[in-house]
Amino acid sequence: MPLLDAVSAFLGQMAEQGVKPIHESTPEEVRALTAGLAELYGEGPAMERVDDVTIPVDGGEIAARILVPVAAPRGVFVYYHGGGWVIGGNIDEFDTLGRKLAASTGCAVVLVDYRLAPEHRYPVAVDDCFAALQWVHQHLGDIAGREVPIVVGGDSAGGNLAAVMAQRSRDRGGPPIAFQVLVYPVTDADFDRPSYTAEENQLMLTRDSMIWFWDHYLPDASRRSEPDASPLRANDLSGLPPALVITAEYDVLRDEGEEYAERMKQAGVPVELIRTPGQMHGFFTLLVVPGHEEAIARITAALDAHLPAPATTEGA
């Protein structure tokens, strides 16, 4: 179907404001743009508890925000934000989305503020995210009051990191992951797939901008085939947790996300794949355009099928 009118209107507004293409910008310029957009998102639902914590990592510490929607959350959803491993250095930019996810799913959501490139290149983000996952596993009682299932998820580069976390957890004997949510994930560094070269997909995220992101994150192209960078390149995808993979019709990353879903299916992993019609890359986190609500509803439905039911309050 055609690109949604609301998405076309948003892109028109961006063009009128003279926003430069990502690949012609500095990391600082792109970070300022996304921070400015986040100011338009408004406040998310109220939480039972919000905790800002620090997590020790190799060479320092990172921040995380724990959003607890109810007294007894049914799971802990570790969420890794997108932004090409370069953007998203302020955890507040993802607070509204995190709150919406928590309120809808009944899970505590942990927003992980992993270190960004080019200041911290691959594999720093991967190692930070795994340290955060291990920390969450060790602190489930503090977060949820008891042992509950862990879900990993993320969008774009965050979807890449979530997929890598699922593989690492399988290969390293834990932490156990009950489910993975991959929203238009980066799974490979191949810039010549049909979705990459299609003219209609060169919108906010273009082929040139993905090359820009990879060059900042992992300039050594010979290492981009490592599974910790390109999870699609892993030899074995069996034994991974069940997955929901959401892609966008107009997205340079569409083909690699869908190929990853199909390869997991072929390896025996239960996978639900949803291509979102009329949408571009970024619709899940751009809360000023429609689309994220339906995606959150699909995520909630998937978790309903794989996690215990939310706790109810007797006499309510």
Side-chain angles (χ1 to χ4, degrees):
M1 65 179 291
L3 193 67
L4 294 180
D5 290 342
V7 177
S8 296
F10 171 78
L11 291 171
Q13 292 170 1
M14 298 288 284
E16 290 173 2
Q17 294 172 17
V19 176
K20 290 195 299 184
I22 290 173
H23 67 278
E24 296 178 3
S25 306
T26 66
E28 292 74 19
E29 288 173 329
V30 183
R31 289 168 183 170
L33 171 64
T34 56
L37 287 171
E39 294 176 359
L40 306 176
Y41 296 163
E43 295 184 3
M47 297 284 103
E48 175 84 12
R49 191 176 84 246
V50 178
D51 297 326
D52 286 324
V53 300
T54 56
I55 297 173
V57 296
D58 186 22
E61 61 183 21
I62 59 173
R65 178 166 297 166
I66 303 170
L67 304 167
V68 184
V70 292
R74 61 169 166 168
V76 175
F77 191 155
V78 184
Y79 192 84
Y80 304 108
H81 68 78
W85 311 282
V86 173
I87 305 168
N90 186 341
I91 208 165
D92 291 336
E93 295 177 30
F94 302 93
D95 183 81
T96 300
L97 175 64
R99 287 170 181 261
K100 290 187 173 187
L101 279 169
S104 181
T105 64
C107 292
V109 171
V110 181
L111 302 174
V112 178
D113 195 17
Y114 56 89
R115 289 173 289 180
L116 300 176
E119 297 86 352
H120 301 280
R121 291 193 162 113
Y122 172 88
V124 172
V126 176
D127 293 336
D128 283 359
C129 289
F130 194 63
L133 179 62
Q134 292 173 310
W135 185 93
V136 167
H137 183 234
Q138 294 162 2
H139 292 81
L140 285 176
D142 299 327
I143 298 171
R146 65 199 191 285
E147 294 291 315
V148 294
I150 296 174
V151 176
V152 295
D155 62 282
S156 194
N160 166 279
L161 293 166
V164 172
M165 292 307 101
Q167 291 188 16
R168 272 202 175 190
S169 295
R170 176 200 62 182
D171 296 341
R172 301 189 183 190
I177 295 174
F179 197 77
Q180 52 180 327
V181 177
L182 311 179
V183 181
Y184 38 72
V186 183
T187 67
D188 200 3
D190 179 356
F191 310 121
D192 295 319
R193 296 177 188 275
S195 62
Y196 255 104
T197 57
E199 184 63 30
E200 64 271 19
N201 293 346
Q202 312 305 312
L203 302 171
M204 280 195 71
L205 184 72
T206 65
R207 181 180 186 275
D208 287 339
S209 58
M210 275 306 302
I211 293 172
W212 182 91
F213 281 124
W214 274 104
D215 285 346
H216 281 301
Y217 179 55
L218 183 46
D220 182 355
S222 68
R223 298 191 65 190
R224 293 177 184 174
S225 61
E226 295 177 6
D228 275 358
S230 295
L232 183 61
R233 301 294 184 98
N235 292 327
D236 181 12
L237 297 182
S238 64
L240 294 174
L244 170 65
V245 180
I246 298 175
T247 62
E249 181 177 5
Y250 296 97
D251 184 2
V252 295
L253 301 182
R254 183 194 67 217
D255 289 353
E256 66 193 75
E258 294 179 359
E259 183 176 345
Y260 191 64
E262 291 302 324
R263 278 205 55 208
M264 284 194 290
K265 285 183 182 179
Q266 292 169 10
V269 178
V271 178
E272 180 183 6
L273 171 62
I274 300 171
R275 178 187 290 190
T276 310
Q279 282 288 7
M280 69 171 182
H281 186 90
F283 78 88
F284 186 65
T285 54
L286 285 170
L287 306 186
V288 292
V289 296
H292 68 278
E293 300 95 339
E294 181 180 351
I296 289 175
R298 300 298 291 265
I299 292 169
T300 301
L303 295 185
D304 285 345
H306 289 87
L307 298 185
T312 58
T313 303
E314 292 185 7

